[in-house]
């Protein structure tokens, strides 16, 4: 007898009439950068092949433009000539060899294109782009439709099972559909029927050109999250028109890139937008795809079992763990390397013109380069420090066959991740630590916690890796030793409960995290600073039930999302909850605090703190702390902030005491993570560095 699947709906086949998908998992489109150069297609084939071998049912590629005007950036991915189609066959063959199906996404950037050739339905500049588009003529519209049809035909020649027509997220087709961006008065603009014509003609003509046995996924903007966005009646009308035009599957698009509501960041509740897909389900007969922040099998199964969708789309979760589907099918969801939705190595890379990767999986998109091959010469390896760098190094080395002992003076693994997981909206870091706990067990790492080690204790190992992390940098202003002045380690570690008024020194990533923590953490006693003994530093061990990211209704109210998805654009007036404390976030350098935060998430952190009335000040001189408060100078004016605490987040220094002792003893050692570079705490670099070292040992 076979063991029943713990996720029966997720792993049931889906009959599309002319072909069958082996399960309900769609790997959603995500641009990696590998699409843009022919020389990278072998890497792209390996990347998709690993996900197909991992059990996914249907893959959708990153976006390919149907012509040069549609490029996202100059010389980006494009499919308009026969010789371009031929190079795709290595990609489609690699996927088909593992039993999955694959569609090529057709994406015309429209006014989001980052080049001067951009076109749009009307000459209206995007607020996130320096270029102003040229309005397509009537002839230009017809040529663009023909370009879509030609690209779809070439995709079929390249071995693809179908195409996804990108009609959402504010790209060209969406620009035609929306009255916000389509001010035309000809046959392609005006009332909804005319605005829809561009989209429906593309789908209809692609179906005619490619035949009845070709998958056409249409990505429909079901929730635009911008002012003057489509009404629900307009979205339903669009869905029905696309269905009638010949689409096979309707995928869900959430938000435009210019929307001021986060849609895929870690602070967004899991499956927060699945309800909009469920709302459309009674209106059409086509299979529907739910998307956004679906990262674990129980979430996906719940959506499917509840009848909210027919498939679930995941992009970054399959970047994080290519074997996601196989692990879920085998009932080993606890072994999934969960996407934490940090965006640091995927979207931030892409928007910086770099290839995508993944913070928790540095092999993503470099599968042919970073290979964890079994070792032919097993060695005894000591890794000191069980933070992100040490965990990655120890488990990869053990996976390869080395005998690894992992030491840490703390009583739990995780290092700085144990602080990060306490930040509201970063609860996903718990998942990474759960994953590494199982990795330690499965790879046979000998874990020794609560065990500080010295150079003498490491003398017998064949190799020593020092991943001892960082220590906070001290500050030098007058009164730095005043009882009001505390470290972020004390605050996030639970040793200090601050009063109602707090100043934060340092507005980097840690400063923003501490501010977020303080404006959400309830006050125990509004008049007293509470100091807990060191033994309580690791509490709490689970996500706070008060976090907005765990409560979709509260999160939607905070950001101004209509929970019924009925209003135009799905927006309503934001109703942020009042802050738990009055907070000042200060930095010495002039300019706007938070300017160096992540490219795709920094605006979210700044908007969150602004909504919580945090005073963010740059160009601050620190004059001193005394019983009256914190004296500062800003723009030549002195003032005293009447604070109960000053939390220092002024950077870090590497902890290299052990490394220096090893060198003095003549013992060679490798240095990784914060112990190597501590200028900014960077888990992406730490995990990548630890993994690459382990692959080379």
């Amino acid at each position: 007898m076979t063991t029943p699947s713990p996720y029966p709906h997720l792993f049931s086949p889906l009959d599309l009439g002319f072909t069958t998908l082996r399960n309900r998992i769609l790997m959603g489109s995500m641009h990696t950068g590998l699409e843009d150069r022919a020389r990278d297609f072998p890497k792209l084939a390996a990347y998709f092949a690993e996900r197909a071998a991992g059990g996914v049912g249907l893959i959708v590629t990153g976006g390919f433009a149907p012509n040069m005007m549609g490029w996202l950036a100059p010389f980006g991915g494009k499919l308009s000539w026969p010789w371009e189609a031929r190079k795709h066959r290595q990609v489609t063959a690699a996927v088909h060899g593992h039993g999955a199906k694959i569609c090529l996404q057709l994406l015309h950037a429209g006014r989001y294109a980052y080049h001067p050739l951009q076109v749009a339905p009307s000459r209206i500049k995007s607020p996130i782009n320096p270029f102003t588009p040229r309005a397509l003529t009537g002839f230009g519209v017809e040529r663009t439709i023909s370009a879509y049809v030609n690209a779809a035909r070439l995709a079929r020649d390249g071995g693809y099972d179908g195409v996804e027509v990108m009609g959402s997220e504010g790209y060209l087709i969406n620009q035609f559909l929306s009255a916000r961006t389509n001010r035309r008065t000809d046959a392609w603009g005006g009332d909804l029927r005319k605005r829809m014509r561009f989209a429906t003609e593309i789908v209809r003509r692609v179906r005619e050109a490619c035949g009845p046995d070709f998958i056409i996924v249409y990505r429909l903007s079901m929730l635009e999250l911008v002012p003057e966005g489509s009404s629900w009646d307009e979205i339903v009308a669009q869905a029905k028109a696309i269905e009638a035009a010949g689409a096979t599957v309707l995928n869900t698009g959430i938000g435009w890139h210019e929307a001021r509501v986060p849609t895929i960041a870690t602070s967004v509740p899991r499956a927060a937008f699945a309800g909009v897909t469920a709302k459309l389900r009674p209106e059409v007969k086509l299979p529907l795809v739910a998307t956004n922040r679906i990262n674990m099998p129980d979430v996906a199964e719940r959506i499917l079992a509840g009848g909210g969708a027919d498939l679930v789309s995941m992009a970054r979760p399959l970047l994080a763990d290519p074997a996601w589907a196989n692990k879920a099918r085998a009932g080993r969801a606890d072994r999934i390397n969960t996407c934490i939705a940090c965006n640091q190595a995927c979207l931030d890379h892409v928007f910086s013109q770099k290839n995508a990767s993944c913070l928790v999986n540095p092999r993503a998109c470099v599968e042919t380069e970073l290979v964890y091959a079994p070792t032919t010469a097993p060695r005894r390896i000591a890794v000191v420090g069980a933070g992100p760098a040490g965990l990655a190094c120890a488990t990869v080395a053990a996976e390869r066959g080395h005998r690894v002992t992992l030491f840490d003076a703390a009583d739990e693994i995780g290092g700085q991740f144990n602080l990060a997981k306490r930040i509201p909206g970063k609860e996903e870091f718990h998942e990474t630590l759960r994953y590494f706990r199982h990795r330690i067990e499965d790879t046979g790492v000998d874990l020794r916690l609560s065990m500080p080690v010295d150079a003498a204790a490491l003398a017998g190992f064949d190799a020593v890796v020092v991943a001892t992390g960082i220590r906070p940098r001290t500050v030098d202003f007058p009164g730095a030793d005043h009882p009001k002045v505390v470290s972020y380690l004390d605050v996030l570690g639970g040793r200090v409960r601050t009063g109602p008024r707090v100043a934060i020194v340092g507005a980097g990533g840690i400063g923003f995290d501490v501010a977020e923590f303080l404006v959400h953490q309830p006050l125990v006693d509004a008049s007293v600073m509470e100091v807990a003994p060191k033994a309580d530093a690791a509490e709490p061990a689970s996500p706070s039930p008060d976090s907005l990211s765990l409560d979709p209704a509260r999160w939607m109210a905070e950001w101004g999302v209509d929970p019924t998805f009925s209003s135009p654009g799905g927006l309503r007036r934001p109703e942020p909850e009042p802050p738990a404390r009055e907070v000042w976030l200060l930095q010495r350098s002039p300019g706007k605090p938070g300017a160096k935060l992540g490219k795709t998430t920094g605006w979210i952190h700044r908007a969150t703190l602004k909504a919580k009335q945090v005073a963010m000040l740059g160009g601050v001189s620190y004059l001193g702390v005394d019983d009256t408060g914190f004296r500062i100078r800003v723009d030549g004016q002195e003032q005293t902030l009447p604070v109960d605490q000053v939390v220092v987040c002024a950077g870090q220094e590497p902890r290299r005491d052990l490394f220096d002792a090893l060198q003095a003893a003549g013992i060679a050692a490798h240095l990784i993570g914060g112990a190597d570079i501590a200028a900014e705490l960077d888990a992406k670099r730490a995990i990548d560095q630890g993994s690459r070292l382990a692959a080379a040992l």
Side-chain angles (χ1 to χ4, degrees):
M1 295 179 62
T2 58
T3 304
S5 169
Y7 311 107
H9 295 83
L10 187 60
F11 290 100
S12 63
L14 178 63
D15 185 359
L16 298 178
F18 55 88
T19 191
T20 299
L21 306 180
R22 62 186 178 186
N23 56 48
R24 306 303 177 98
I25 302 169
L26 183 151
M27 180 178 175
S29 174
M30 181 172 169
H31 196 78
T32 66
L34 299 177
E35 303 89 350
D36 298 334
R37 293 168 294 274
R39 67 175 182 272
D40 285 336
F41 269 54
K43 297 178 185 178
L44 188 65
Y47 163 71
F48 283 133
E50 197 160 299
R51 276 78 192 161
V56 69
L58 175 63
I59 291 171
V60 179
T61 70
F64 285 86
N67 57 24
M68 287 193 299
M69 281 76 76
W71 274 335
L72 282 166
F75 307 104
K78 177 179 70 67
L79 183 58
S80 60
W81 299 105
W83 57 83
E84 292 174 327
R86 287 193 288 271
K87 68 185 180 184
H88 285 265
R89 291 173 188 163
Q90 62 189 304
V91 175
T92 55
V95 170
H96 292 151
H98 292 288
K101 299 187 185 301
I102 183 167
C103 291
L104 178 136
Q105 188 188 71
L106 294 176
L107 185 155
H108 191 302
R111 73 176 190 159
Y112 281 167
Y114 206 81
H115 55 76
L117 299 178
Q118 63 168 237
V119 295
S122 301
R123 194 177 187 274
I124 302 173
K125 181 179 174 297
S126 163
I128 60 173
N129 198 321
F131 300 101
T132 299
R134 173 176 57 84
L136 284 166
T137 64
F139 178 67
V141 173
E142 286 287 355
R143 285 186 62 187
T144 304
I145 294 172
S146 296
Y148 271 96
V149 175
N150 176 60
R153 189 185 294 111
L154 291 173
R156 179 156 196 156
D157 292 344
Y160 287 97
D161 301 286
V163 293
E164 178 176 79
V165 177
M166 180 53 151
S168 67
E169 266 85 338
Y171 292 113
L172 182 69
I173 294 176
N174 208 171
Q175 293 161 25
F176 266 92
L177 288 163
S178 176
R180 172 186 173 91
T181 46
N182 185 344
R183 306 289 172 82
R184 303 174 72 97
T185 57
D186 62 359
W188 305 99
D191 61 25
L192 178 62
R193 181 182 60 82
K194 291 180 179 179
R195 296 199 311 271
M196 290 193 305
R197 187 180 170 210
F198 183 67
T200 55
E201 283 298 295
I202 288 171
V203 174
R204 184 182 66 79
R205 296 185 201 180
V206 166
R207 175 59 70 205
E208 288 177 354
C210 295
D213 59 345
F214 190 66
I215 299 171
I216 300 177
V217 180
Y218 184 85
R219 184 89 161 262
L220 174 68
S221 189
M222 295 189 197
L223 192 67
E224 294 177 340
L225 300 176
V226 291
E228 303 176 77
S230 298
S231 69
W232 182 250
D233 288 344
E234 288 176 328
I235 291 166
V236 171
Q238 292 169 22
K240 290 181 175 180
I242 294 299
E243 180 176 43
T248 314
V249 174
L250 278 178
N251 198 354
T252 302
I254 302 293
W256 287 27
H257 288 305
E258 62 203 70
R260 293 293 89 188
V261 177
T263 56
I264 58 174
T266 189
S267 58
V268 178
R270 291 181 177 181
F273 302 109
V276 74
T277 312
K279 185 174 181 177
L280 185 64
R281 200 143 189 256
E283 307 289 348
V284 293
K285 296 178 182 178
L286 294 181
L288 298 183
V289 185
T291 188
N292 284 49
R293 290 288 285 124
I294 301 167
N295 64 350
M296 289 299 280
D298 60 318
V299 180
E301 179 69 15
R302 185 167 63 249
I303 293 168
L304 297 172
D310 302 281
L311 299 102
V312 290
S313 173
M314 293 175 286
R316 295 172 305 162
L318 292 161
L319 197 70
D321 195 332
W324 192 101
N326 285 345
K327 290 177 181 179
R329 180 189 286 275
R332 293 172 64 84
D334 57 356
R335 265 59 178 181
I336 288 174
N337 192 5
T338 305
C339 168
I340 61 174
C342 66
N343 292 353
Q344 292 179 30
C346 51
L347 293 182
D348 281 359
H349 275 207
V350 170
F351 281 96
S352 299
Q353 309 303 312
K354 296 189 291 187
N355 286 350
S357 185
C358 178
L359 182 146
V360 299
N361 175 25
R363 288 194 68 246
C365 299
V366 289
E367 286 81 6
T368 60
E369 301 166 26
L370 183 53
V371 179
Y372 302 154
T375 181
T376 57
R379 305 166 70 191
R380 291 186 65 236
I381 298 173
V383 179
V384 184
L391 290 168
C393 186
T395 53
V396 171
E399 176 188 342
R400 295 185 56 227
H402 292 297
R403 298 186 297 276
V404 181
T405 304
L406 176 59
F407 299 94
D408 201 294
D411 59 1
E412 63 177 338
I413 67 168
Q416 296 286 315
F417 267 28
N418 288 311
L419 302 179
K421 72 186 184 185
R422 298 197 64 189
I423 308 303
K426 290 191 173 182
E427 290 81 9
E428 296 288 9
F429 282 81
H430 284 267
E431 299 284 10
T432 304
L433 295 179
R434 178 264 308 152
Y435 167 74
F436 273 120
R437 280 193 290 271
H438 286 296
R439 280 278 286 165
I440 288 169
E441 176 186 338
D442 294 343
T443 59
V445 171
D446 180 9
L447 177 62
R448 302 188 185 184
L449 295 174
S450 303
M451 187 177 291
V453 290
D454 56 19
L458 301 171
F461 286 90
D462 300 318
V464 177
V465 179
V466 177
T468 44
I470 58 90
R471 60 170 59 89
R473 185 179 295 128
T474 58
V475 290
D476 58 3
F477 52 73
D481 57 350
H482 192 280
K484 288 180 182 284
V485 181
V486 297
S487 167
Y488 73 88
L489 293 178
D490 294 323
V491 174
L492 296 181
R495 290 186 288 274
V496 169
R497 281 273 199 169
T498 69
R501 295 166 300 181
V502 181
I504 298 170
V505 173
I510 294 176
F512 269 80
D513 278 353
V514 171
E516 184 109 25
F517 179 79
L518 291 175
V519 296
H520 287 95
Q521 186 195 44
L523 282 164
V524 175
D525 186 323
S527 62
V528 180
M529 177 181 78
E530 188 177 277
V531 181
K534 282 185 178 290
D536 296 334
E539 296 298 327
S542 59
S544 167
D546 295 325
S547 176
L548 291 176
S549 67
L550 303 179
D551 187 333
R554 289 174 60 209
W555 181 87
M556 288 184 180
E558 187 91 358
W559 283 96
V561 178
D562 176 7
T564 69
F565 310 116
S566 301
S567 60
L571 295 176
R572 69 173 189 180
R573 183 174 59 84
E575 298 177 358
E577 296 176 3
R581 289 169 178 77
E582 186 177 7
V583 175
W584 290 264
L585 181 59
L586 314 174
Q587 69 179 27
R588 273 193 168 124
S589 58
K592 181 171 62 175
K596 295 182 180 179
L597 296 178
K599 200 170 184 68
T600 61
T601 55
W603 71 270
I604 301 171
H605 299 304
R606 292 188 292 270
T608 298
L609 296 192
K610 182 179 179 181
K612 297 300 183 185
Q613 303 163 42
V614 173
M616 294 177 271
L617 304 176
V620 179
S621 297
Y622 307 131
L623 304 182
V625 178
D626 56 29
D627 291 344
T628 64
F630 190 14
R631 290 182 296 110
I632 64 172
R633 183 187 298 116
V634 183
D635 296 330
Q637 300 294 315
E638 292 189 14
Q639 58 179 297
T640 298
L641 305 179
V643 297
D644 302 290
Q645 278 78 48
V646 176
V647 182
V648 178
C649 307
Q652 304 81 35
E653 297 173 345
R655 293 184 60 184
R656 294 182 180 169
D657 303 7
L658 176 61
F659 182 75
D660 294 340
L662 288 167
Q663 286 191 313
I667 301 173
H670 304 273
L671 198 60
I672 62 172
D676 179 29
I677 301 173
E680 284 288 339
L681 290 183
D682 188 346
K684 176 184 69 173
R685 179 184 53 77
I687 292 175
D688 181 80
Q689 189 179 28
S691 300
R692 288 180 182 275
L693 173 61
L697 285 172

